[in-house]
Amino acid sequence: MNVTDEAMSFADLALRPELLRALGDLGYEEPTPIQREAIPPLLEGRDLLGQAATGTGKTAAFALPVLQRMSEREQESGPVALILVPTRELAVQVSEAMHRYGKDIGARVLPIYGGQPIGRQLRALERGVDVVVATPGRALDHIGRGTLALGGLRMVVLDEADEMLDMGFAEDIEAILQDTPEDRQTVLFSATMPPRIDGIARRHLSDPVRIKIEHERPTTGESPLVRQSAYIVTRSHKPAALGRVLDVESPTAAIVFCRTRDEVDSLTETLNGRGYRAEALHGGMGQEQRDRVMGRLRTGTADLLVATDVAARGLDIEQLTHVINYDVPSAPESYVHRIGRVGRAGREGVAITLAEPREHRMLKTIERVTRSRIEIEKVPTIADLLARRLELTRAALHESLLEDDDLDRFRVVVETLTDEFDVMEVALAAVKLAHESTGAAADEEEIPEIALSPTRGRRDGGGRDAGPRDDRRGRGPSRGGMARLFVGAGRSARIRPQDLVGAIAGETRVSGRDIGAIEIADRFSLVEIPESAVQEVIDALRRTTIKGRKVTIRRDRDAH
Ligand code: AMP
């Protein structure tokens, strides 16, 4: 395997074997830059002031040292660490991460936040905990009641400190810190460093190590010719969004980067299940296995390589056209390394990043550091996809018309059919068969579009409860103020998206631009229209015909 000089493994970080094992089990192959820089001084007991956004791996950067210090203490005297976070979501996420990393150490981690019945928290605190992850308000509440003892604290972590200040927790934080032992170790992470954060750091951190993950501009050499874009999607829609993007882009060969081995394995499986030819490549594989995978890519037996950074290091794949980041990379440097694999030798390459709403800020950081523009694009809709697939079928037919000299042997088929049907109809049926034989099945659900307003972008960068709540979206109205109509005719009635748009825009005040996703199934179609226009559209379409026939129109109520 090719390993660059700067590569450093978790084993170099002097972490306990139990922690290393947990990281291995989670499929983490190497520390992220913030982890490389933060873990050693934290293990030495230094205070730390870190500027890092979500997506950099900052949670593990403080969680691992906390767990290590916890396991070193001799006797129990209340919690050993207090981690303050701005939101309940983050309290739960950080606790879960600590559970995962600390499973072999037996860490007892308790999230406490407002909104949860206090009785449960009291009982858990009574039984004894090692690490408390709390929102400042609820922490102060427990301190006031005497149920959260801070006397035994060795570490305090302020996570997403700028968010906590924005949410008005400044005084609570000051009050909590006053109550903690003088000789505690203090860690402060913040995505931005406004003067107020500096003030807190000056008052409460002693001689801190300062870390900022976006230092100098990475040396990119001559800048490659790469079209860079990103799609904002929630975690649960990522596999579908990736499929959609792959279908529209149709890469000759692509490499899809994941963070962990587990993610590589499960994404490879998902992609193969969806009919792509994907191969996994990660650091846990032997040389022989790797060679086999690379062979399949070179010969075109596979066209997608799903890999971790470590595994893909040093790979040079001639025919690569696309680099896809299934997650936002943990540092701008890593982004640059990844996309440097395409756009070589004057050929244009494409770099695509799937980002969760909360990773939006990291994307901005990458843009700033690399001084390049990453265009945020809309995930292709089902209508886009259908159009693209039809275009591919058209292109294949065009090629066949230009190049095939043995088309004549099919003449008899056409001629016998034209006794009964006209040539246009025969051609349509033939195109349909050709199209369907490409496996171009109707896609699943529409992927909700996520708008990032300026304020939301700001909040999403840090606080995790600001993201859109469309994960649980059912089949009801799917966009802000949009409703879905069921139209009782589909592909088998030769309905195309433009027929629906035409009928709606022609008969009502709704313009084509206002119409959302259109999904055409075999026997029905679904169209998104503004909620406010539902009745008008239903009335108008019931009065008119689509493709010469009357069709059922109703509001879609998830019945298929
Ligand atoms: P964070 O910035 O702490 O929110 O972490 C972002 C994501 O990266 C989380 O899903 C972590 O599980 C994952 N992660 C953190 N460190 C590593 C690592 N060294 N290797 C792979 N994934 C990681």
Side-chain angles (χ1 to χ4, degrees):
M1 208 189 307
N2 298 285
V3 176
T4 60
D5 292 343
E6 66 190 35
M8 182 197 234
S9 74
F10 278 110
D12 299 327
L13 289 176
L15 289 166
R16 292 181 58 122
E18 295 91 332
L19 294 174
L20 293 179
R21 199 160 54 229
L23 295 171
D25 291 348
L26 285 169
Y28 289 14
E29 297 199 320
E30 59 172 2
T32 65
I34 192 95
Q35 292 162 2
R36 274 204 293 270
E37 292 193 44
I39 292 174
L42 287 180
L43 290 177
E44 281 170 23
R46 296 282 305 269
D47 280 4
L48 185 138
L49 180 61
Q51 181 165 359
T54 294
T56 52
K58 68 180 165 61
T59 312
F62 65 75
L64 294 167
V66 163
L67 290 163
Q68 178 122 333
R69 297 212 63 193
M70 181 210 109
S71 64
E72 283 164 4
R73 74 169 161 178
E74 280 124 33
Q75 61 180 47
E76 193 179 311
S77 51
V80 77
L82 172 66
I83 298 166
L84 293 175
V85 297
T87 63
R88 138 198 200 147
E89 275 78 6
L90 191 51
V92 171
Q93 276 183 35
V94 170
S95 303
E96 285 172 357
M98 295 209 90
H99 269 294
R100 286 198 297 271
Y101 304 144
K103 67 179 166 48
D104 292 340
I105 289 185
R108 294 167 302 172
V109 185
L110 179 69
I112 62 179
Y113 45 80
Q116 193 193 36
I118 203 153
R120 189 161 3 132
Q121 295 172 358
L122 290 174
R123 282 192 297 280
L125 283 167
E126 241 166 56
R127 279 196 301 273
V129 297
D130 303 303
V131 179
V132 171
V133 187
T135 50
R138 189 49 81 92
L140 206 55
D141 205 358
H142 278 286
I143 295 167
R145 289 166 181 253
T147 45
L148 177 57
L150 304 185
L153 283 187
R154 309 263 295 267
M155 276 179 100
V156 173
V157 180
L158 307 177
D159 190 17
E160 303 197 351
D162 50 354
E163 282 299 318
M164 290 200 279
L165 295 191
D166 280 358
M167 296 177 72
F169 285 133
E171 282 177 20
D172 291 358
I173 292 172
E174 292 285 342
I176 294 167
L177 288 174
Q178 294 304 336
D179 263 9
T180 59
E182 279 277 316
D183 62 349
R184 61 161 205 270
Q185 182 181 5
T186 314
V187 183
L188 188 158
F189 275 111
S190 188
T192 56
M193 284 290 162
R196 290 167 74 207
I197 296 283
D198 240 18
I200 294 191
R202 253 182 301 148
R203 282 193 299 284
H204 300 287
L205 271 59
S206 89
D207 184 26
V209 179
R210 287 169 190 267
I211 293 178
K212 189 174 176 185
I213 60 142
E214 43 161 327
H215 349 246
E216 76 281 17
R217 185 175 183 213
T219 42
T220 47
E222 92 195 51
S223 82
L225 230 57
V226 181
R227 164 161 67 84
Q228 301 176 52
S229 53
Y231 297 90
I232 312 288
V233 281
T234 57
R235 181 117 218 122
S236 59
H237 287 108
K238 273 197 178 179
L242 176 61
R244 220 45 90 67
V245 169
L246 287 172
D247 287 351
V248 171
E249 294 277 341
S250 351
T252 310
I255 181 160
V256 184
F257 281 102
C258 293
R259 282 195 174 122
T260 67
R261 282 176 201 180
D262 296 5
E263 211 166 64
V264 165
D265 285 335
S266 76
L267 185 61
T268 308
E269 207 170 294
T270 308
L271 287 170
N272 283 318
R274 285 169 176 251
Y276 302 97
R277 299 176 309 165
E279 291 281 345
L281 191 73
H282 57 59
M285 295 167 53
Q287 191 56 45
E288 211 175 293
Q289 241 178 328
R290 291 169 57 91
D291 291 346
R292 241 192 337 263
V293 167
M294 294 313 297
R296 281 200 281 267
L297 204 72
R298 291 212 170 87
T299 55
T301 319
D303 33 35
L304 294 175
L305 187 65
V306 186
T308 56
D309 281 301
V310 172
R313 211 163 266 156
L315 284 187
D316 191 7
I317 306 161
E318 174 72 21
Q319 64 272 54
L320 206 63
T321 52
H322 288 64
V323 165
I324 298 173
N325 299 306
Y326 194 62
D327 297 286
V328 179
S330 58
E333 290 81 352
S334 142
Y335 181 85
V336 172
H337 275 143
R338 288 179 180 186
I339 74 165
R341 288 156 198 288
V342 286
R344 294 185 179 180
R347 278 177 295 149
E348 200 203 351
V350 182
I352 291 170
T353 303
L354 301 186
E356 288 176 57
R358 64 192 180 87
E359 293 171 329
H360 186 235
R361 183 192 292 270
M362 189 61 194
L363 219 50
K364 287 274 159 230
T365 303
I366 291 174
E367 269 191 320
R368 206 171 49 242
V369 176
T370 60
R371 293 200 203 133
S372 55
R373 181 140 177 72
I374 303 175
E375 213 62 59
I376 306 266
E377 291 187 25
K378 284 191 183 157
V379 179
T381 61
I382 289 166
D384 293 337
L385 198 62
L386 291 172
R388 170 73 184 156
R389 284 176 180 164
L390 272 181
E391 175 51 32
L392 290 176
T393 301
R394 199 198 68 83
L397 287 169
H398 190 242
E399 194 174 333
S400 164
L401 285 164
L402 286 180
E403 292 179 3
D404 263 346
D405 33 26
D406 66 345
L407 285 179
D408 241 17
R409 61 200 172 99
F410 300 106
R411 184 174 295 275
V412 54
V413 178
V414 178
E415 275 172 358
T416 50
L417 285 169
T418 45
D419 291 345
E420 210 178 324
F421 305 93
D422 73 47
V423 180
M424 180 53 120
E425 280 177 307
V426 175
L428 288 173
V431 172
K432 175 176 180 231
L433 282 181
H435 185 64
E436 287 174 357
S437 72
T438 61
D443 205 279
E444 60 301 301
E445 216 185 328
E446 200 61 80
I447 298 168
E449 187 186 317
I450 295 173
L452 289 166
S453 64
T455 47
R456 166 167 288 168
R458 161 89 196 80
R459 298 272 292 109
D460 279 342
R464 317 224 176 166
D465 60 348
R469 290 281 161 266
D470 32 21
D471 273 351
R472 279 157 285 144
R473 181 181 150 258
R475 278 195 155 260
S478 52
R479 282 210 265 158
M482 296 295 272
R484 198 193 308 247
L485 291 191
F486 173 94
V487 178
R491 228 184 336 265
S492 54
R494 302 210 195 106
I495 298 284
R496 302 161 306 166
Q498 56 265 45
D499 300 320
L500 296 172
V501 173
I504 295 171
E507 304 290 329
T508 70
R509 283 171 306 158
V510 177
S511 77
R513 234 192 6 240
D514 299 330
I515 298 173
I518 296 179
E519 186 175 355
I520 311 252
D522 241 10
R523 309 206 163 273
F524 65 90
S525 309
L526 299 169
V527 192
E528 276 185 351
I529 55 161
E531 176 73 47
S532 57
V534 169
Q535 205 49 51
E536 188 190 351
V537 172
I538 290 180
D539 291 345
L541 292 188
R542 281 183 181 159
R543 262 183 273 120
T544 182
T545 55
I546 300 177
K547 283 244 151 164
R549 61 158 87 184
K550 284 256 175 220
V551 294
T552 315
I553 311 279
R554 57 175 161 79
R555 191 189 256 274
D556 176 42
R557 289 202 184 77
D558 78 53
H560 37 264

